[in-house]
Amino acid sequence: MEPLDAELNDLQDDALMILFAGGEQAAARILTARLLPRVLNHAARVLGDRAEAEDVAQEAMLRLWKAAKEWQQGGAKPSTWLYRVTANLAIDRLRKSGRQVGMDENFEPEDDRPGAEAQMIEADRRSALDAGLASLPERQRQAVVLRHIEGLANPEIAEILEISVEAVESLTARGKRSLAQALAGQKEALGYGN
Protein backbone atom coordinates (compact mmCIF):
# COMPACT_ATOMS: atom_id res chain seq x y z
CA MET A 1 0.00 0.00 0.00
CA GLU A 2 1.34 3.40 -0.92
CA PRO A 3 1.89 5.92 1.93
CA LEU A 4 -0.94 8.18 0.73
CA ASP A 5 -3.28 5.18 0.49
CA ALA A 6 -2.52 4.32 4.12
CA GLU A 7 -3.40 7.87 5.23
CA LEU A 8 -6.62 7.90 3.21
CA ASN A 9 -7.65 4.42 4.34
CA ASP A 10 -8.90 5.80 7.67
CA LEU A 11 -11.30 8.25 6.00
CA GLN A 12 -15.05 7.68 5.68
CA ASP A 13 -16.45 6.78 2.26
CA ASP A 14 -18.10 10.16 1.67
CA ALA A 15 -14.81 11.98 2.38
CA LEU A 16 -13.08 9.69 -0.12
CA MET A 17 -15.76 10.52 -2.71
CA ILE A 18 -15.06 14.23 -2.32
CA LEU A 19 -11.31 13.64 -2.61
CA PHE A 20 -11.85 11.58 -5.75
CA ALA A 21 -14.00 14.37 -7.22
CA GLY A 22 -11.03 16.65 -6.59
CA GLY A 23 -8.76 14.36 -8.61
CA GLU A 24 -7.32 12.09 -5.90
CA GLN A 25 -6.97 8.67 -7.59
CA ALA A 26 -5.88 6.94 -4.37
CA ALA A 27 -9.34 7.67 -2.95
CA ALA A 28 -10.90 5.77 -5.86
CA ARG A 29 -8.62 2.78 -5.27
CA ILE A 30 -9.60 2.61 -1.60
CA LEU A 31 -13.33 3.01 -2.29
CA THR A 32 -13.19 0.37 -5.00
CA ALA A 33 -11.43 -2.08 -2.66
CA ARG A 34 -14.07 -1.43 0.03
CA LEU A 35 -17.23 -1.38 -2.02
CA LEU A 36 -16.80 -3.48 -5.17
CA PRO A 37 -16.66 -6.92 -3.50
CA ARG A 38 -19.83 -6.20 -1.53
CA VAL A 39 -21.90 -5.04 -4.49
CA LEU A 40 -20.51 -7.80 -6.70
CA ASN A 41 -21.65 -10.43 -4.17
CA HIS A 42 -25.04 -8.76 -3.84
CA ALA A 43 -25.53 -8.67 -7.62
CA ALA A 44 -24.46 -12.33 -7.89
CA ARG A 45 -27.06 -13.35 -5.32
CA VAL A 46 -29.84 -11.37 -6.99
CA LEU A 47 -28.97 -12.29 -10.59
CA GLY A 48 -27.71 -15.83 -10.14
CA ASP A 49 -25.05 -15.26 -12.79
CA ARG A 50 -21.51 -14.24 -11.82
CA ALA A 51 -20.64 -12.78 -15.24
CA GLU A 52 -23.79 -10.65 -15.28
CA ALA A 53 -23.10 -9.63 -11.69
CA GLU A 54 -19.63 -8.43 -12.71
CA ASP A 55 -21.18 -6.31 -15.47
CA VAL A 56 -23.74 -4.85 -13.06
CA ALA A 57 -21.13 -4.14 -10.37
CA GLN A 58 -18.86 -2.46 -12.92
CA GLU A 59 -21.72 -0.32 -14.24
CA ALA A 60 -22.70 0.63 -10.68
CA MET A 61 -19.12 1.67 -9.88
CA LEU A 62 -18.97 3.76 -13.06
CA ARG A 63 -22.14 5.53 -12.01
CA LEU A 64 -20.63 6.15 -8.57
CA TRP A 65 -17.58 7.80 -10.14
CA LYS A 66 -19.80 9.93 -12.38
CA ALA A 67 -21.78 11.05 -9.32
CA ALA A 68 -18.62 12.08 -7.44
CA LYS A 69 -18.60 15.67 -8.75
CA GLU A 70 -21.99 16.36 -7.13
CA TRP A 71 -21.37 14.31 -3.98
CA GLN A 72 -22.14 16.04 -0.70
CA GLN A 73 -20.96 14.90 2.70
CA GLY A 74 -23.78 14.18 5.11
CA GLY A 75 -26.13 12.82 2.44
CA ALA A 76 -26.57 9.18 1.54
CA LYS A 77 -23.58 6.98 2.27
CA PRO A 78 -21.71 5.93 -0.87
CA SER A 79 -22.28 2.27 0.07
CA THR A 80 -26.04 2.80 0.41
CA TRP A 81 -26.19 4.71 -2.86
CA LEU A 82 -24.14 2.01 -4.59
CA TYR A 83 -26.33 -0.82 -3.24
CA ARG A 84 -29.42 1.01 -4.53
CA VAL A 85 -27.90 1.44 -8.00
CA THR A 86 -26.73 -2.19 -8.02
CA ALA A 87 -30.16 -3.43 -6.93
CA ASN A 88 -31.89 -1.37 -9.62
CA LEU A 89 -29.50 -2.52 -12.35
CA ALA A 90 -29.92 -6.16 -11.28
CA ILE A 91 -33.73 -5.86 -11.24
CA ASP A 92 -33.64 -4.26 -14.70
CA ARG A 93 -31.61 -7.21 -16.01
CA LEU A 94 -33.97 -9.73 -14.44
CA ARG A 95 -37.01 -8.01 -15.91
CA LYS A 96 -35.48 -7.68 -19.39
CA SER A 97 -34.58 -11.35 -19.44
CA GLY A 98 -37.92 -12.42 -17.95
CA ARG A 99 -36.24 -14.65 -15.40
CA GLN A 100 -36.13 -14.88 -11.65
CA VAL A 101 -33.20 -16.87 -10.35
CA GLY A 102 -31.10 -17.32 -7.25
CA MET A 103 -27.37 -17.68 -7.52
CA ASP A 104 -25.17 -19.07 -10.29
CA GLU A 105 -24.64 -22.77 -9.70
CA ASN A 106 -21.02 -22.38 -10.74
CA PHE A 107 -20.28 -19.61 -8.25
CA GLU A 108 -17.07 -20.47 -6.44
CA PRO A 109 -16.52 -19.20 -2.91
CA GLU A 110 -13.18 -18.08 -1.47
CA ASP A 111 -10.34 -20.64 -1.40
CA ASP A 112 -9.85 -20.52 2.39
CA ARG A 113 -12.67 -23.00 2.98
CA PRO A 114 -12.48 -26.29 4.92
CA GLY A 115 -11.98 -29.76 3.42
CA ALA A 116 -13.89 -31.50 0.63
CA GLU A 117 -16.69 -32.96 2.78
CA ALA A 118 -17.39 -29.62 4.46
CA GLN A 119 -17.31 -27.96 1.04
CA MET A 120 -19.86 -30.45 -0.32
CA ILE A 121 -22.17 -29.87 2.65
CA GLU A 122 -21.79 -26.12 2.25
CA ALA A 123 -22.46 -26.37 -1.50
CA ASP A 124 -25.66 -28.32 -0.81
CA ARG A 125 -26.73 -25.75 1.76
CA ARG A 126 -25.92 -22.87 -0.57
CA SER A 127 -27.80 -24.56 -3.40
CA ALA A 128 -30.86 -25.10 -1.19
CA LEU A 129 -30.70 -21.49 0.03
CA ASP A 130 -30.34 -20.17 -3.51
CA ALA A 131 -33.26 -22.29 -4.70
CA GLY A 132 -35.32 -21.03 -1.78
CA LEU A 133 -34.32 -17.43 -2.50
CA ALA A 134 -35.16 -17.90 -6.17
CA SER A 135 -38.69 -18.89 -5.19
CA LEU A 136 -39.30 -15.57 -3.42
CA PRO A 137 -40.83 -12.54 -5.14
CA GLU A 138 -38.00 -10.19 -6.17
CA ARG A 139 -38.62 -7.49 -3.51
CA GLN A 140 -38.75 -10.09 -0.72
CA ARG A 141 -35.60 -11.72 -2.09
CA GLN A 142 -33.77 -8.39 -2.14
CA ALA A 143 -34.86 -7.51 1.40
CA VAL A 144 -33.88 -10.93 2.78
CA VAL A 145 -30.50 -10.91 1.00
CA LEU A 146 -29.66 -7.36 2.12
CA ARG A 147 -30.74 -8.00 5.72
CA HIS A 148 -29.71 -11.56 6.44
CA ILE A 149 -26.90 -12.23 3.99
CA GLU A 150 -25.33 -8.80 3.52
CA GLY A 151 -26.07 -7.83 7.14
CA LEU A 152 -27.43 -4.34 6.46
CA ALA A 153 -29.70 -2.54 8.92
CA ASN A 154 -33.36 -1.97 8.09
CA PRO A 155 -33.02 1.83 7.66
CA GLU A 156 -30.21 1.34 5.13
CA ILE A 157 -32.24 -1.30 3.28
CA ALA A 158 -35.22 1.08 3.25
CA GLU A 159 -33.04 3.72 1.62
CA ILE A 160 -31.64 1.26 -0.94
CA LEU A 161 -35.07 -0.10 -1.90
CA GLU A 162 -36.69 3.33 -1.57
CA ILE A 163 -39.39 2.10 0.80
CA SER A 164 -40.25 2.65 4.47
CA VAL A 165 -38.55 0.80 7.32
CA GLU A 166 -41.92 -0.79 8.10
CA ALA A 167 -42.13 -2.08 4.53
CA VAL A 168 -38.62 -3.56 4.90
CA GLU A 169 -39.67 -5.29 8.11
CA SER A 170 -42.76 -6.67 6.40
CA LEU A 171 -40.82 -7.85 3.32
CA THR A 172 -38.13 -9.56 5.38
CA ALA A 173 -40.67 -11.21 7.69
CA ARG A 174 -42.73 -12.54 4.77
CA GLY A 175 -39.56 -13.53 2.92
CA LYS A 176 -38.20 -15.43 5.91
CA ARG A 177 -41.49 -17.28 6.37
CA SER A 178 -41.62 -18.19 2.67
CA LEU A 179 -37.96 -19.22 2.72
CA ALA A 180 -38.53 -21.40 5.81
CA GLN A 181 -41.44 -23.10 4.03
CA ALA A 182 -39.36 -23.61 0.91
CA LEU A 183 -36.58 -25.22 2.97
CA ALA A 184 -38.86 -27.22 5.28
CA GLY A 185 -38.12 -30.92 5.29
CA GLN A 186 -34.52 -30.47 4.10
CA LYS A 187 -32.82 -30.09 7.50
CA GLU A 188 -31.56 -33.66 7.72
CA ALA A 189 -30.44 -33.77 4.10
CA LEU A 190 -28.51 -30.53 4.65
CA GLY A 191 -26.73 -31.79 7.77
CA TYR A 192 -28.93 -30.02 10.32
CA GLY A 193 -30.71 -33.19 11.47
CA ASN A 194 -30.66 -34.76 14.94
Side-chain angles (χ1 to χ4, degrees), residues 79-144:
S79 60
T80 301
W81 187 92
L82 191 58
Y83 267 115
R84 181 184 311 141
V85 170
T86 302
N88 289 339
L89 290 169
I91 294 280
D92 288 346
R93 282 198 179 222
L94 285 173
R95 287 182 180 152
K96 285 178 184 172
S97 69
R99 64 189 168 93
Q100 291 201 6
V101 295
M103 187 164 183
D104 182 7
E105 295 171 17
N106 298 321
F107 175 78
E108 294 187 28
E110 299 293 323
D111 289 335
D112 61 347
R113 294 176 10 136
E117 182 179 355
Q119 287 183 24
M120 289 172 47
I121 291 170
E122 178 61 27
D124 288 345
R125 289 175 179 170
R126 183 182 309 269
S127 178
L129 175 62
D130 291 339
L133 286 169
S135 71
L136 299 178
E138 70 184 42
R139 296 293 274 183
Q140 285 181 19
R141 179 173 56 234
Q142 277 197 317
V144 169

Coordinates of all heavy atoms in Angstrom, one line a residue, residues 79-144:
S79 N -21.9 3.7 0.1 CA -22.3 2.3 0.1 C -23.8 2.1 -0.1 O -24.2 1.2 -0.9 CB -21.8 1.6 1.3 OG -22.4 2.1 2.5
T80 N -24.6 2.9 0.6 CA -26.0 2.8 0.4 C -26.4 3.2 -1.0 O -27.2 2.5 -1.6 CB -26.7 3.7 1.4 OG1 -26.3 3.4 2.7 CG2 -28.2 3.7 1.3
W81 N -25.9 4.3 -1.5 CA -26.2 4.7 -2.9 C -25.8 3.6 -3.9 O -26.6 3.3 -4.8 CB -25.4 6.0 -3.1 CG -25.7 6.7 -4.4 CD1 -26.7 7.6 -4.6 CD2 -25.1 6.4 -5.7 NE1 -26.7 8.0 -6.0 CE2 -25.7 7.3 -6.6 CE3 -24.1 5.6 -6.1 CZ2 -25.3 7.3 -8.0 CZ3 -23.7 5.6 -7.4 CH2 -24.4 6.4 -8.4
L82 N -24.6 3.0 -3.7 CA -24.1 2.0 -4.6 C -25.0 0.7 -4.5 O -25.3 0.1 -5.6 CB -22.7 1.7 -4.3 CG -21.9 0.9 -5.3 CD1 -21.9 1.5 -6.7 CD2 -20.5 0.7 -4.8
Y83 N -25.4 0.3 -3.3 CA -26.3 -0.8 -3.2 C -27.6 -0.5 -4.0 O -28.2 -1.4 -4.7 CB -26.7 -1.1 -1.8 CG -25.8 -2.2 -1.1 CD1 -24.9 -1.8 -0.1 CD2 -25.7 -3.5 -1.6 CE1 -24.1 -2.7 0.5 CE2 -24.9 -4.4 -0.9 CZ -24.1 -4.0 0.1 OH -23.3 -5.0 0.7
R84 N -28.2 0.7 -3.9 CA -29.4 1.0 -4.5 C -29.2 0.9 -6.1 O -30.1 0.3 -6.7 CB -29.9 2.4 -4.2 CG -31.2 2.8 -4.8 CD -31.7 4.2 -4.6 NE -31.7 4.5 -3.2 CZ -31.3 5.7 -2.7 NH1 -30.9 6.7 -3.5 NH2 -31.3 5.9 -1.4
V85 N -28.2 1.5 -6.6 CA -27.9 1.4 -8.0 C -27.7 0.0 -8.4 O -28.3 -0.4 -9.5 CB -26.7 2.3 -8.4 CG1 -26.2 2.1 -9.8 CG2 -27.0 3.8 -8.1
T86 N -27.0 -0.8 -7.7 CA -26.7 -2.2 -8.0 C -28.1 -3.0 -8.0 O -28.3 -3.7 -9.0 CB -25.8 -2.8 -7.0 OG1 -24.5 -2.1 -7.0 CG2 -25.5 -4.3 -7.3
A87 N -28.9 -2.7 -7.0 CA -30.2 -3.4 -6.9 C -31.0 -3.1 -8.1 O -31.6 -3.9 -8.7 CB -30.9 -3.1 -5.6
N88 N -31.1 -1.8 -8.5 CA -31.9 -1.4 -9.6 C -31.4 -1.9 -10.9 O -32.2 -2.4 -11.8 CB -32.0 0.2 -9.7 CG -32.8 0.7 -8.6 OD1 -33.6 0.1 -8.0 ND2 -32.6 2.0 -8.3
L89 N -30.1 -1.9 -11.1 CA -29.5 -2.5 -12.3 C -29.8 -4.0 -12.4 O -30.1 -4.5 -13.5 CB -28.0 -2.3 -12.4 CG -27.5 -0.8 -12.7 CD1 -26.0 -0.7 -12.4 CD2 -27.9 -0.4 -14.1
A90 N -29.7 -4.7 -11.3 CA -29.9 -6.2 -11.3 C -31.4 -6.4 -11.6 O -31.7 -7.3 -12.4 CB -29.5 -6.7 -9.9
I91 N -32.3 -5.7 -11.0 CA -33.7 -5.9 -11.2 C -34.0 -5.6 -12.7 O -34.8 -6.4 -13.3 CB -34.6 -4.9 -10.4 CG1 -34.4 -5.3 -8.9 CG2 -36.0 -4.9 -10.8 CD1 -35.2 -6.5 -8.4
D92 N -33.4 -4.6 -13.3 CA -33.6 -4.3 -14.7 C -33.2 -5.4 -15.6 O -33.9 -5.8 -16.5 CB -32.9 -3.0 -15.1 CG -33.5 -1.7 -14.6 OD1 -34.6 -1.8 -14.1 OD2 -32.8 -0.7 -14.7
R93 N -32.1 -6.1 -15.2 CA -31.6 -7.2 -16.0 C -32.6 -8.4 -15.9 O -32.8 -9.1 -16.8 CB -30.2 -7.6 -15.6 CG -29.2 -6.7 -16.2 CD -27.8 -7.4 -16.1 NE -26.9 -6.4 -16.7 CZ -25.9 -6.8 -17.5 NH1 -25.8 -8.1 -17.8 NH2 -25.1 -6.0 -18.0
L94 N -33.0 -8.6 -14.7 CA -34.0 -9.7 -14.4 C -35.2 -9.5 -15.2 O -35.8 -10.4 -15.9 CB -34.3 -9.9 -13.0 CG -33.2 -10.5 -12.1 CD1 -33.7 -10.4 -10.6 CD2 -33.0 -11.9 -12.5
R95 N -35.8 -8.3 -15.2 CA -37.0 -8.0 -15.9 C -36.8 -8.1 -17.4 O -37.7 -8.7 -18.1 CB -37.5 -6.6 -15.5 CG -38.1 -6.6 -14.1 CD -38.6 -5.3 -13.8 NE -39.1 -5.3 -12.4 CZ -39.2 -4.3 -11.6 NH1 -38.8 -3.1 -12.0 NH2 -39.7 -4.4 -10.4
K96 N -35.7 -7.6 -17.9 CA -35.5 -7.7 -19.4 C -35.4 -9.1 -19.9 O -35.8 -9.4 -21.0 CB -34.2 -6.9 -19.8 CG -34.4 -5.4 -19.7 CD -33.1 -4.7 -20.1 CE -33.4 -3.2 -19.9 NZ -32.1 -2.4 -20.1
S97 N -34.8 -10.0 -19.0 CA -34.6 -11.3 -19.4 C -35.8 -12.2 -19.1 O -35.9 -13.3 -19.6 CB -33.3 -11.9 -18.8 OG -33.6 -12.1 -17.4
G98 N -36.7 -11.7 -18.3 CA -37.9 -12.4 -17.9 C -37.7 -13.6 -17.0 O -38.5 -14.5 -16.9
R99 N -36.6 -13.5 -16.3 CA -36.2 -14.6 -15.4 C -36.2 -14.2 -14.0 O -35.9 -13.0 -13.7 CB -34.9 -15.3 -15.8 CG -33.7 -14.4 -15.7 CD -32.5 -15.1 -16.3 NE -31.5 -14.1 -16.4 CZ -30.6 -13.9 -15.5 NH1 -30.5 -14.6 -14.5 NH2 -29.7 -12.9 -15.7
Q100 N -36.3 -15.1 -13.1 CA -36.1 -14.9 -11.7 C -35.3 -16.0 -11.1 O -35.8 -17.2 -11.1 CB -37.5 -14.8 -10.9 CG -38.2 -13.5 -11.3 CD -39.2 -13.2 -10.2 OE1 -39.3 -13.8 -9.2 NE2 -40.0 -12.2 -10.5
V101 N -34.1 -15.8 -10.8 CA -33.2 -16.9 -10.3 C -32.5 -16.5 -9.1 O -32.5 -15.4 -8.6 CB -32.1 -17.2 -11.4 CG1 -32.8 -17.7 -12.7 CG2 -31.3 -15.9 -11.7
G102 N -31.9 -17.5 -8.5 CA -31.1 -17.3 -7.2 C -29.7 -17.0 -7.6 O -29.4 -16.0 -8.2
M103 N -28.8 -17.9 -7.3 CA -27.4 -17.7 -7.5 C -26.8 -18.7 -8.6 O -27.3 -19.8 -8.7 CB -26.6 -17.8 -6.2 CG -25.2 -17.5 -6.3 SD -24.7 -17.3 -4.6 CE -23.0 -16.8 -4.9
D104 N -25.8 -18.2 -9.3 CA -25.2 -19.1 -10.3 C -24.7 -20.4 -9.6 O -24.0 -20.4 -8.6 CB -24.0 -18.3 -10.9 CG -23.3 -19.0 -12.0 OD1 -23.7 -20.1 -12.4 OD2 -22.2 -18.5 -12.4
E105 N -25.0 -21.5 -10.2 CA -24.6 -22.8 -9.7 C -23.1 -22.9 -9.7 O -22.6 -23.7 -9.0 CB -25.3 -23.9 -10.5 CG -26.8 -23.9 -10.4 CD -27.4 -24.9 -11.4 OE1 -26.7 -25.8 -11.9 OE2 -28.6 -24.8 -11.6
N106 N -22.5 -22.2 -10.6 CA -21.0 -22.4 -10.7 C -20.3 -21.4 -9.9 O -19.0 -21.2 -10.0 CB -20.6 -22.3 -12.2 CG -21.2 -23.4 -13.1 OD1 -21.3 -24.5 -12.6 ND2 -21.7 -23.0 -14.2
F107 N -20.9 -20.6 -9.1 CA -20.3 -19.6 -8.3 C -19.3 -20.3 -7.3 O -19.7 -21.3 -6.7 CB -21.3 -18.8 -7.4 CG -20.7 -17.9 -6.5 CD1 -20.2 -16.7 -6.9 CD2 -20.6 -18.2 -5.1 CE1 -19.7 -15.8 -6.0 CE2 -20.1 -17.4 -4.2 CZ -19.6 -16.1 -4.6
E108 N -18.1 -19.8 -7.3 CA -17.1 -20.5 -6.4 C -16.7 -19.6 -5.3 O -16.3 -18.4 -5.5 CB -15.8 -20.8 -7.3 CG -16.1 -21.9 -8.3 CD -14.9 -22.3 -9.0 OE1 -13.8 -22.3 -8.4 OE2 -15.0 -22.7 -10.2
P109 N -16.9 -20.0 -4.1 CA -16.5 -19.2 -2.9 C -15.0 -19.1 -2.7 O -14.2 -19.7 -3.5 CB -17.1 -20.0 -1.7 CG -17.4 -21.3 -2.2 CD -17.4 -21.3 -3.7
E110 N -14.6 -18.3 -1.8 CA -13.2 -18.1 -1.5 C -12.5 -19.4 -1.3 O -13.0 -20.4 -0.9 CB -13.0 -17.2 -0.2 CG -13.7 -15.9 -0.3 CD -13.0 -15.0 -1.3 OE1 -11.7 -15.0 -1.4 OE2 -13.7 -14.2 -2.0
D111 N -11.1 -19.4 -1.5 CA -10.3 -20.6 -1.4 C -10.0 -21.1 0.0 O -9.5 -22.2 0.2 CB -9.0 -20.5 -2.2 CG -9.2 -20.4 -3.7 OD1 -10.2 -21.0 -4.1 OD2 -8.4 -19.9 -4.3
D112 N -10.2 -20.2 1.0 CA -9.8 -20.5 2.4 C -10.9 -21.4 3.1 O -11.0 -21.3 4.3 CB -9.6 -19.2 3.2 CG -10.8 -18.3 3.2 OD1 -11.8 -18.5 2.5 OD2 -10.7 -17.4 4.0
R113 N -11.6 -22.2 2.4 CA -12.7 -23.0 3.0 C -12.1 -24.3 3.5 O -11.1 -24.8 3.1 CB -13.8 -23.2 2.0 CG -14.4 -21.9 1.6 CD -15.5 -21.9 0.6 NE -15.9 -23.2 0.1 CZ -17.2 -23.5 -0.1 NH1 -18.1 -22.7 0.1 NH2 -17.5 -24.7 -0.6
P114 N -12.9 -25.0 4.4 CA -12.5 -26.3 4.9 C -12.4 -27.4 3.8 O -12.6 -27.1 2.7 CB -13.6 -26.6 5.9 CG -14.4 -25.4 6.1 CD -14.1 -24.5 4.9
G115 N -12.2 -28.6 4.3 CA -12.0 -29.8 3.4 C -13.1 -30.1 2.5 O -14.2 -29.4 2.5
A116 N -12.9 -31.1 1.7 CA -13.9 -31.5 0.6 C -15.3 -31.8 1.2 O -16.3 -31.4 0.6 CB -13.3 -32.7 -0.2
E117 N -15.4 -32.6 2.3 CA -16.7 -33.0 2.8 C -17.4 -31.7 3.2 O -18.6 -31.5 2.9 CB -16.6 -34.0 3.9 CG -17.9 -34.4 4.5 CD -17.8 -35.4 5.6 OE1 -16.7 -35.8 5.9 OE2 -18.8 -35.7 6.2
A118 N -16.8 -30.9 4.0 CA -17.4 -29.6 4.5 C -17.8 -28.7 3.3 O -18.9 -28.1 3.3 CB -16.5 -28.9 5.4
Q119 N -17.0 -28.7 2.2 CA -17.3 -28.0 1.0 C -18.6 -28.5 0.4 O -19.4 -27.8 -0.1 CB -16.1 -27.9 0.1 CG -15.0 -27.1 0.5 CD -13.9 -27.0 -0.5 OE1 -14.1 -27.2 -1.7 NE2 -12.7 -26.7 -0.1
M120 N -18.7 -29.8 0.3 CA -19.9 -30.5 -0.3 C -21.1 -30.1 0.5 O -22.2 -29.8 -0.1 CB -19.7 -32.0 -0.5 CG -18.6 -32.3 -1.5 SD -18.2 -34.1 -1.6 CE -19.7 -34.9 -1.5
I121 N -21.0 -30.2 1.8 CA -22.2 -29.9 2.6 C -22.5 -28.4 2.4 O -23.7 -28.1 2.3 CB -21.9 -30.2 4.1 CG1 -21.8 -31.7 4.3 CG2 -22.9 -29.6 5.0 CD1 -21.3 -32.1 5.7
E122 N -21.5 -27.6 2.4 CA -21.8 -26.1 2.2 C -22.4 -25.9 0.9 O -23.3 -25.0 0.7 CB -20.5 -25.3 2.4 CG -20.6 -23.8 2.2 CD -21.6 -23.1 3.1 OE1 -21.8 -23.6 4.3 OE2 -22.2 -22.1 2.8
A123 N -21.9 -26.6 -0.1 CA -22.5 -26.4 -1.5 C -23.9 -26.8 -1.5 O -24.8 -26.1 -2.2 CB -21.6 -27.2 -2.5
D124 N -24.3 -27.9 -0.9 CA -25.7 -28.3 -0.8 C -26.5 -27.3 -0.1 O -27.6 -27.0 -0.5 CB -25.8 -29.7 -0.1 CG -25.3 -30.8 -1.0 OD1 -25.1 -30.6 -2.2 OD2 -25.0 -31.9 -0.4
R125 N -26.0 -26.8 1.0 CA -26.7 -25.8 1.8 C -26.9 -24.5 0.9 O -28.0 -23.9 0.9 CB -26.0 -25.4 3.1 CG -26.1 -26.5 4.1 CD -25.3 -26.2 5.3 NE -25.4 -27.3 6.3 CZ -24.6 -27.5 7.3 NH1 -23.7 -26.5 7.6 NH2 -24.8 -28.5 8.2
R126 N -25.9 -24.1 0.3 CA -25.9 -22.9 -0.6 C -26.9 -23.1 -1.7 O -27.7 -22.2 -2.0 CB -24.5 -22.5 -1.1 CG -24.5 -21.2 -2.0 CD -23.1 -21.0 -2.5 NE -22.1 -21.0 -1.5 CZ -21.7 -20.0 -0.8 NH1 -22.2 -18.8 -1.0 NH2 -20.7 -20.1 0.1
S127 N -26.9 -24.3 -2.3 CA -27.8 -24.6 -3.4 C -29.3 -24.5 -2.9 O -30.1 -24.0 -3.6 CB -27.5 -25.9 -4.0 OG -28.4 -26.3 -5.0
A128 N -29.5 -25.1 -1.7 CA -30.9 -25.1 -1.2 C -31.3 -23.7 -0.9 O -32.4 -23.3 -1.2 CB -30.9 -26.0 0.1
L129 N -30.4 -22.9 -0.3 CA -30.7 -21.5 0.0 C -31.0 -20.7 -1.2 O -32.0 -20.0 -1.3 CB -29.6 -20.8 0.8 CG -29.7 -19.3 1.1 CD1 -30.9 -19.1 2.0 CD2 -28.5 -18.8 1.7
D130 N -30.1 -20.9 -2.3 CA -30.3 -20.2 -3.5 C -31.7 -20.6 -4.2 O -32.3 -19.7 -4.7 CB -29.2 -20.4 -4.5 CG -27.9 -19.7 -4.0 OD1 -28.0 -18.8 -3.1 OD2 -26.8 -20.2 -4.4
A131 N -32.0 -21.9 -4.1 CA -33.3 -22.3 -4.7 C -34.4 -21.7 -3.9 O -35.4 -21.2 -4.5 CB -33.4 -23.8 -4.7
G132 N -34.3 -21.7 -2.6 CA -35.3 -21.0 -1.8 C -35.4 -19.5 -2.1 O -36.5 -19.0 -2.2
L133 N -34.3 -18.9 -2.2 CA -34.3 -17.4 -2.5 C -34.9 -17.2 -3.9 O -35.7 -16.2 -4.1 CB -32.9 -16.8 -2.5 CG -32.3 -16.6 -1.1 CD1 -30.8 -16.3 -1.2 CD2 -33.0 -15.6 -0.3
A134 N -34.6 -18.1 -4.8 CA -35.2 -17.9 -6.2 C -36.7 -18.0 -6.2 O -37.3 -17.5 -7.1 CB -34.5 -18.9 -7.1
S135 N -37.2 -18.7 -5.2 CA -38.7 -18.9 -5.2 C -39.4 -17.7 -4.6 O -40.6 -17.6 -4.7 CB -39.1 -20.1 -4.4 OG -38.8 -19.9 -3.0
L136 N -38.7 -16.8 -4.0 CA -39.3 -15.6 -3.4 C -39.6 -14.5 -4.5 O -38.9 -14.4 -5.5 CB -38.4 -15.0 -2.4 CG -38.0 -15.8 -1.2 CD1 -37.0 -15.0 -0.3 CD2 -39.2 -16.2 -0.4
P137 N -40.6 -13.7 -4.3 CA -40.8 -12.5 -5.1 C -39.6 -11.6 -5.0 O -38.9 -11.6 -4.0 CB -42.1 -11.9 -4.5 CG -42.8 -12.9 -3.8 CD -41.7 -13.8 -3.3
E138 N -39.3 -10.9 -6.1 CA -38.0 -10.2 -6.2 C -37.8 -9.2 -5.0 O -36.7 -9.1 -4.5 CB -37.8 -9.5 -7.5 CG -38.7 -8.3 -7.8 CD -38.4 -7.8 -9.2 OE1 -38.3 -8.6 -10.2 OE2 -38.4 -6.6 -9.3
R139 N -38.8 -8.5 -4.6 CA -38.6 -7.5 -3.5 C -38.3 -8.2 -2.2 O -37.5 -7.8 -1.4 CB -39.8 -6.6 -3.4 CG -40.1 -5.7 -4.6 CD -39.1 -4.7 -4.8 NE -39.4 -3.5 -4.0 CZ -38.7 -2.4 -4.0 NH1 -37.6 -2.3 -4.8 NH2 -39.0 -1.4 -3.2
Q140 N -39.0 -9.3 -1.9 CA -38.8 -10.1 -0.7 C -37.3 -10.6 -0.8 O -36.6 -10.6 0.2 CB -39.8 -11.2 -0.6 CG -41.1 -10.8 -0.1 CD -42.1 -12.0 0.1 OE1 -41.6 -13.2 0.2 NE2 -43.4 -11.7 0.0
R141 N -36.9 -11.2 -1.9 CA -35.6 -11.7 -2.1 C -34.6 -10.7 -1.8 O -33.6 -10.9 -1.1 CB -35.4 -12.3 -3.5 CG -34.0 -12.9 -3.7 CD -33.9 -13.6 -5.0 NE -34.2 -12.8 -6.2 CZ -35.1 -13.1 -7.1 NH1 -35.7 -14.3 -7.0 NH2 -35.3 -12.4 -8.1
Q142 N -34.7 -9.5 -2.4 CA -33.8 -8.4 -2.1 C -33.7 -8.0 -0.7 O -32.6 -7.9 -0.1 CB -34.1 -7.2 -2.9 CG -33.7 -7.2 -4.4 CD -33.7 -5.8 -5.0 OE1 -34.6 -5.1 -4.8 NE2 -32.6 -5.5 -5.7
A143 N -34.8 -7.9 0.0 CA -34.9 -7.5 1.4 C -34.2 -8.6 2.2 O -33.4 -8.3 3.1 CB -36.3 -7.3 1.9
V144 N -34.5 -9.8 2.0 CA -33.9 -10.9 2.8 C -32.4 -11.0 2.5 O -31.6 -11.1 3.5 CB -34.6 -12.3 2.4 CG1 -33.8 -13.5 3.0 CG2 -36.0 -12.3 3.0

